[in-house]
Amino acid sequence: LSSIQSYVAGPKPSKESAPEADKPEPSIKPTAQERLGEKVRDCKIEFLATVKKEEFDAVYVQLEKEFPDYLPLKMAKLRHLDSHEKRSEVLDELKSTAQAIIDGISEDELALNLGRNVNSEDGDAVKSRNDVTERKDLLVEALARLSLACSDDDAKFSEILKRLQAWIDIETTSKFATVYVAREQKERRFGAVLKQIQKLLTNECKDAIKPLKHSELLDLRSKMLEELGYTALSENEKTVRILACPTEYA
């Protein structure tokens, strides 16, 4: 007779007896004091956007001492510089501020994290994704503003634009309409510029980065018509410009 073999299945391992390596690391929850500090910091930065332009620098220096590496604070400064009345005089500082934001964000890390799905029921994962998305938005805006600041340098403009377009479509996103216009001008696609100007005139994109004023759009339209050889239309456009945007009233 052949021997009879028997097998005994062991008990199911309990969660308590699972190896330490298999246990998920507990997430570290911020303390109430830390959460309060974050709220106060964010309120201070929101307040910075409301101060008068002549008072901005003094308030910013104070906040920079408290939060030297906080990127949203640097973005507040970048937006302030980009809307400066004498923008050409602060252009170097504008570029260095934009570059500091870009250098503070790892594009590879963003791509790795944004390529994954997030469980909406996992609070920690959702918070992590929101943080990553915020960093991406800061990166994209800094690249867009830097590209416009470097629009006089074709090589630099193209280099920055290439990085920007890896994240967004400037043609279909109204926020980047000004960047799109700058690119089409450089590529001498004046018809595309006219088409975009018409969109901006009928539905001004107030959320656009470095938006063009109504008078600037009319001036640019006249220039594009002239480039295309429509001299009569260009001259007529100049007349419309005077009537639509008078420098003073009687």
Side-chain angles (χ1 to χ4, degrees):
L1 295 174
S2 60
S3 60
I4 300 174
Q5 296 179 335
S6 62
Y7 300 90
V8 179
K12 210 173 179 183
S14 63
K15 292 181 180 178
E16 290 76 12
S17 62
E20 289 295 323
D22 295 338
K23 291 183 179 180
E25 294 184 8
S27 58
I28 301 174
K29 301 287 185 182
T31 64
Q33 195 68 25
E34 289 172 333
R35 294 199 306 273
L36 176 61
E38 291 175 357
K39 291 285 186 184
V40 171
R41 177 199 63 198
D42 294 343
C43 284
K44 286 182 177 181
I45 295 174
E46 286 177 14
F47 171 76
L48 183 62
T50 67
V51 301
K52 296 178 181 179
K53 291 188 176 182
E54 59 270 20
E55 298 175 329
F56 183 93
D57 290 340
V59 178
Y60 179 83
V61 168
Q62 181 183 339
L63 293 180
E64 190 178 32
K65 290 177 182 177
E66 294 183 62
F67 319 109
D69 300 318
Y70 193 52
L71 295 180
L73 177 60
K74 294 183 186 297
M75 178 56 73
K77 180 181 180 180
L78 178 58
R79 290 169 180 165
H80 167 73
L81 292 170
D82 216 5
S83 62
H84 201 283
E85 291 178 359
K86 298 179 180 179
R87 182 173 176 269
S88 59
E89 296 181 8
V90 299
L91 204 56
D92 288 341
E93 189 178 4
L94 191 161
K95 292 177 182 178
S96 62
T97 304
Q99 193 63 56
I101 295 172
I102 295 166
D103 292 343
I105 300 171
S106 169
E107 293 185 55
D108 290 339
E109 184 183 344
L110 288 185
L112 180 65
N113 282 281
L114 291 172
R116 298 174 179 173
N117 291 326
V118 171
N119 181 359
S120 59
E121 296 180 359
D122 186 339
D124 290 338
V126 171
K127 184 180 184 305
S128 177
R129 170 54 59 85
N130 290 340
D131 292 341
V132 171
T133 302
E134 182 182 356
R135 289 206 304 278
K136 176 199 165 187
D137 292 342
L138 289 170
L139 172 69
V140 166
E141 184 171 343
L143 285 169
R145 292 187 185 277
L146 183 58
S147 70
L148 291 172
C150 297
S151 59
D152 291 338
D153 184 336
D154 290 350
K156 188 69 174 176
F157 178 83
S158 297
E159 176 194 336
I160 300 166
L161 187 63
K162 186 176 180 181
R163 292 177 66 180
L164 176 62
Q165 289 179 298
W167 296 103
I168 49 96
D169 182 357
I170 63 172
E171 185 173 352
T172 58
T173 311
S174 62
K175 187 174 181 178
F176 305 99
T178 315
V179 181
Y180 172 72
V181 167
R183 185 194 71 180
E184 297 305 286
Q185 276 187 272
K186 287 184 177 296
E187 296 295 332
R188 299 188 64 80
R189 292 192 283 259
F190 303 130
V193 177
L194 281 173
K195 185 177 179 181
Q196 185 71 0
I197 290 171
Q198 194 58 34
K199 286 182 182 178
L200 294 172
L201 284 170
T202 54
N203 183 25
E204 293 185 13
C205 304
K206 295 182 180 179
D207 67 330
I209 289 174
K210 204 77 186 78
L212 295 169
K213 298 177 183 176
H214 188 75
S215 58
E216 292 174 322
L217 288 170
L218 293 179
D219 286 341
L220 184 57
R221 186 164 67 178
S222 175
K223 183 180 177 181
M224 292 302 98
L225 289 169
E226 192 171 342
E227 289 282 2
L228 289 167
Y230 301 132
T231 309
L233 288 175
S234 177
E235 290 300 319
N236 181 67
E237 194 68 29
K238 291 175 183 177
T239 304
V240 171
R241 159 75 172 82
I242 294 171
L243 295 173
C245 308
T247 55
E248 60 183 16
Y249 294 95

